[in-house]
């Protein structure tokens, strides 16, 4: 039994070498972070290819576009115009109003009117920028909203390629305080009448839990991220889509009282800019569409997506983007390295079948990862794909090396035709020979020996004839 096992292992030694080499090399490359951007690009394609999400009517966007700015004749719009806008929105009785416009300084005329609206609107949430970066410094919220704790952070996290794939639920301040993000504050205001609050959700000490939704905190190596900054309370954004996925109305339409009846009633209303001149636009997974001009998404739309994500998870049980722990991802890479090696070994004597087999295996891998993504799981696709191809290449190289060695060895004793036949069909070679029943008839000519002695061995061999006749 032991001898058979050793013999089997020796026969499959090439497969074992291929699996170990491909797994180790791909894992090391992945740990360097070289595959991160490629993986993130694959994630973007999954967002673009998955079935379209329905419109979330619970979140309404009041967009300030270029026509609105032209009509107002200035930017930022005056406090009077902003106060008038908020009053008209209040008349629709929304559950929450998010003002995604910085208002740390007054813009006359109408500052007193705006302060009065701020003071009399408990469901209004302003914004502040918390973190400093290369382009911007921290920006304070309106002082009256800060005192009433009606301000949320609107900071966005950019990946190395400049895209927004993560959102913030809580922002950890330098003084040790914790600030809720704009999206979370708005979602909590909406969920409060449903009986869902932060206090009622503190049954899980590790993660925020609201209703049906548990929001796992992003860590440095989640998904295909490698040693990414994990500060504050981040979550992976499960985008619903662009601005078209939310009921949208322009600033001018609201100011001119052309709002449809109950358009904003019991909704979350977000006010923000969509004008390109204001540069509140960001790259997202929806930026690089095939055969389309790259498009950036307004910041207010990103906040709408995160707000919708919180509401959908808490009320509807919509899946959040989940990831595997590192050990499972390494096992995933090892598994596809094994598949690639076995498929290549079994089909090693047919190049065409080998290529077809690897393509089918790779297609199954990508399709499986995409299907899992639809159900909320982000599973690495590039590392196992490389492991699959890498193990197949190692097997191919191993077989080619053995073929070269066989050709050199048997070429000393056999013709090229026979050697090539053995390489194409190794099963024809059986060590120890074959046992067959045959009949051999040997004949000679009388006096041939004495005659052949008169010739050289070469001529004697040419004149001799032996007849062999075999029977099955």
């Amino acid at each position: 039994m032991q001898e058979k096992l050793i013999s089997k292992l020796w026969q499959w030694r090439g497969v074992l070498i291929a699996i170990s080499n491909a797994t180790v090399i791909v894992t090391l490359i992945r740990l360097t972070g070289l595959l991160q951007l490629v993986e993130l690009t694959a994630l973007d394609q999954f967002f673009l290819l998955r079935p379209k999400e329905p419109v979330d009517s619970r979140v309404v966007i009041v967009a300030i576009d270029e026509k609105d700015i032209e009509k107002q004749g200035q930017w930022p719009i005056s406090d009077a115009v902003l106060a008038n806008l908020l009053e008209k929105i209040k008349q629709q009785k929304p559950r929450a109003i998010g003002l995604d416009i910085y208002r740390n300084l007054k813009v006359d005329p109408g500052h007193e009117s705006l302060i009065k609206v701020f003071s009399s609107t408990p469901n209004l949430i302003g914004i502040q920028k918390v973190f400093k970066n290369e382009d911007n410094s921290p920006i304070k919220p309106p002082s009256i909203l800060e005192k009433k704790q009606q301000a949320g952070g609107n900071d966005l996290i950019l990946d190395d390629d400049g895209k927004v794939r993560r959102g913030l639920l809580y922002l950890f301040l330098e003084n040790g305080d914790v600030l809720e993000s704009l999206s979370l504050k708005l979602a909590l205001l909406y969920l409060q009448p449903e009986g869902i609050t932060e206090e009622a959700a503190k049954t899980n000490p590790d993660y925020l839990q609201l209703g049906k939704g548990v929001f796992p905190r992003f860590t440095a190596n989640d998904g295909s991220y490698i040693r990414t900054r994990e500060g504050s309370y981040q979550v992976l954004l499960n985008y619903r889509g662009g601005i078209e996925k939310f009921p949208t109305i322009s600033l001018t339409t609201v100011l001119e009282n052309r709002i449809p009846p109950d358009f904003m009633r019991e909704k979350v209303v977000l006010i923000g800019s969509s004008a390109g001149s204001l540069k509140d636009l960001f790259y997202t997974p929806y930026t690089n569409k095939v055969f389309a001009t790259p498009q950036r998404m307004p910041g207010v739309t990103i906040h709408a997506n995160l707000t919708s994500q919180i509401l959908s998870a808490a009320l509807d049980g919509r899946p959040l983007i989940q990831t595997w722990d590192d050990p499972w991802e390494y096992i995933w890479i090892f598994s596809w390295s094994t598949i690639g090696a076995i498929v290549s070994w079994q089909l090693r004597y047919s190049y065409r079948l080998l290529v077809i087999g690897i393509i089918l295996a790779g297609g199954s891998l990508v399709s499986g990862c995409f299907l899992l993504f639809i159900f909320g799981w982000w599973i690495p696709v590039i590392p196992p794909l490389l492991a699959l191809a890498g193990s197949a290449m190692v097997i191919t190289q191993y077989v080619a090396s053995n073929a070269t060695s066989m050709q050199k060895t048997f070429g000393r004793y056999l013709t090229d035709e026979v050697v090539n036949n053995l390489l194409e069909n190794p099963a024809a070679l059986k060590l120890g020979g074959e046992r067959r029943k045959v009949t051999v008839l040997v004949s000679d000519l009388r006096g041939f020996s004495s005659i052949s002695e008169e010739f050289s061995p070469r001529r004697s061999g040419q004149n001799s004839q032996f007849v062999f006749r075999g029977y099955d």
Side-chain angles (χ1 to χ4, degrees):
M1 187 65 166
Q2 185 177 359
E3 292 180 358
K4 289 183 178 180
L5 178 61
I6 294 175
S7 176
K8 201 69 175 178
L9 289 175
W10 179 253
Q11 182 181 356
W12 283 70
R13 65 189 182 278
V15 174
L16 300 178
I17 293 171
I19 292 171
S20 58
N21 286 352
T23 301
V24 171
I25 292 173
V26 171
T27 300
L28 290 177
I29 294 175
R30 183 173 187 265
L31 290 176
T32 64
L34 294 176
L35 301 179
Q36 178 173 301
L37 288 180
V38 184
E39 271 283 12
L40 293 176
T41 301
L43 174 65
D44 296 344
Q45 294 305 310
F46 283 177
F47 272 111
L48 291 170
L49 294 174
R50 74 177 180 180
K52 301 298 182 182
E53 296 275 352
V55 173
D56 190 347
S57 59
R58 296 169 298 199
V59 181
V60 175
I61 296 177
V62 177
I64 303 174
D65 56 22
E66 298 291 356
K67 293 182 179 180
D68 294 322
I69 297 174
E70 290 179 8
K71 191 170 186 64
Q72 294 301 318
Q74 69 174 81
W75 184 263
I77 57 177
S78 68
D79 288 348
V81 173
L82 187 55
N84 186 25
L85 173 67
L86 293 173
E87 285 289 357
K88 293 183 180 299
I89 292 175
K90 285 174 61 178
Q91 293 174 9
Q92 290 261 319
K93 297 183 178 180
R95 290 191 186 183
I97 304 172
L99 182 60
D100 189 28
I101 299 174
Y102 293 115
R103 219 55 175 184
N104 55 320
L105 301 174
K106 64 179 181 179
V107 183
D108 288 326
H111 183 64
E112 294 300 325
S113 299
L114 183 59
I115 294 298
K116 183 177 179 180
V117 175
F118 284 168
S119 302
S120 61
T121 312
N123 62 342
L124 172 65
I125 305 298
I127 58 170
Q128 69 179 91
K129 182 173 177 55
V130 175
F131 303 120
K132 181 180 180 180
N133 55 35
E134 297 177 355
D135 301 323
N136 296 293
S137 299
I139 301 174
K140 292 184 177 181
S143 57
I144 181 65
L145 294 181
E146 185 177 25
K147 291 178 182 178
K148 300 177 64 177
Q149 297 184 344
Q150 291 179 217
N154 76 327
D155 297 71
L156 296 175
I157 304 171
L158 304 182
D159 286 333
D160 292 339
D161 59 355
K163 293 184 179 180
V164 180
R165 299 184 181 91
R166 290 168 284 153
L168 287 162
L169 297 183
Y170 296 97
L171 294 81
F172 300 161
L173 308 183
E174 293 182 355
N175 61 5
D177 291 340
V178 177
L179 177 68
E180 295 167 334
S181 69
L182 170 65
S183 296
L184 180 57
K185 277 188 171 292
L186 294 173
L188 289 173
L189 285 172
Y190 184 93
L191 293 172
Q192 190 172 358
E194 308 290 336
I196 300 175
T197 63
E198 283 182 291
E199 289 71 20
K202 288 182 178 178
T203 55
N204 190 327
D206 299 320
Y207 302 128
L208 171 66
Q209 182 172 350
L210 296 172
K212 301 177 182 179
V214 178
F215 301 85
R217 182 178 172 184
F218 173 83
T219 58
N221 294 317
D222 276 357
S224 295
Y225 285 101
I226 303 296
R227 296 182 297 278
T228 303
R229 292 186 62 181
E230 57 181 22
S232 295
Y233 196 125
Q234 304 178 31
V235 293
L236 293 169
L237 276 169
N238 190 9
Y239 280 94
R240 184 173 291 274
I243 197 169
E244 73 279 356
K245 294 300 178 181
F246 306 95
T248 304
I249 196 169
S250 70
L251 169 71
T252 302
T253 301
V254 177
L255 293 177
E256 293 179 353
N257 294 318
R258 292 188 281 116
I259 312 175
D262 297 331
F263 185 69
M264 301 176 182
R265 182 178 294 274
E266 298 295 316
K267 307 290 180 61
V268 173
V269 179
L270 269 161
I271 307 166
S273 164
S274 64
S277 61
L278 301 184
K279 299 182 179 180
D280 188 24
L281 301 172
F282 299 87
Y283 294 107
T284 69
Y286 296 92
T287 294
N288 296 323
K289 295 183 178 180
V290 181
F291 306 118
T293 304
Q295 296 180 349
R296 292 179 293 174
M297 185 178 292
V300 66
T301 308
I302 297 176
H303 295 304
N305 269 282
L306 182 52
T307 304
S308 173
Q309 177 175 330
I310 298 170
L311 296 181
S312 299
L315 297 174
D316 309 327
R318 179 174 179 255
L320 298 166
I321 296 181
Q322 303 177 72
T323 60
W324 281 345
D325 294 331
D326 288 344
W328 287 108
E329 293 183 353
Y330 299 143
I331 293 174
W332 181 244
I333 295 172
F334 171 80
S335 300
W336 283 99
S337 176
T338 303
I339 292 173
I342 293 176
V343 169
S344 301
W345 182 254
Q346 294 292 348
L347 303 176
R348 61 190 181 278
Y349 300 123
S350 176
Y351 179 76
R352 179 179 297 178
L353 291 178
L354 173 60
V355 172
I356 294 175
I358 295 300
I359 291 176
L360 289 176
S364 300
L365 167 61
V366 176
S367 300
C369 289
F370 177 65
L371 184 62
L372 288 171
F373 178 74
I374 292 177
F375 290 97
W377 286 94
W378 178 25
I379 307 303
V381 60
I382 300 301
L385 200 59
L386 290 178
L388 174 73
S391 61
M393 292 174 62
V394 173
I395 289 294
T396 303
Q397 180 63 32
Y398 177 79
V399 171
S401 177
N402 283 349
T404 302
S405 177
M406 182 184 294
Q407 193 170 24
K408 288 181 180 179
T409 301
F410 287 96
R412 301 174 184 175
Y413 313 105
L414 304 172
T415 64
D416 292 342
E417 182 180 356
V418 174
V419 173
N420 291 333
N421 184 56
L422 287 175
L423 292 177
E424 292 177 2
N425 184 22
L429 176 63
K430 294 183 180 180
L431 298 179
E434 291 183 86
R435 299 188 62 181
R436 290 189 180 185
K437 293 182 179 180
V438 298
T439 301
V440 179
L441 174 64
V442 181
S443 66
D444 196 3
L445 297 175
R446 179 181 296 176
F448 181 75
S449 298
S450 59
I451 296 174
S452 64
E453 289 176 353
E454 299 177 4
F455 298 98
S456 64
R458 184 180 188 86
R459 292 192 60 191
S460 177
Q462 290 174 348
N463 289 307
S464 62
Q465 295 183 6
F466 293 88
V467 179
F468 296 91
R469 179 173 301 169
Y471 298 89
D472 294 333

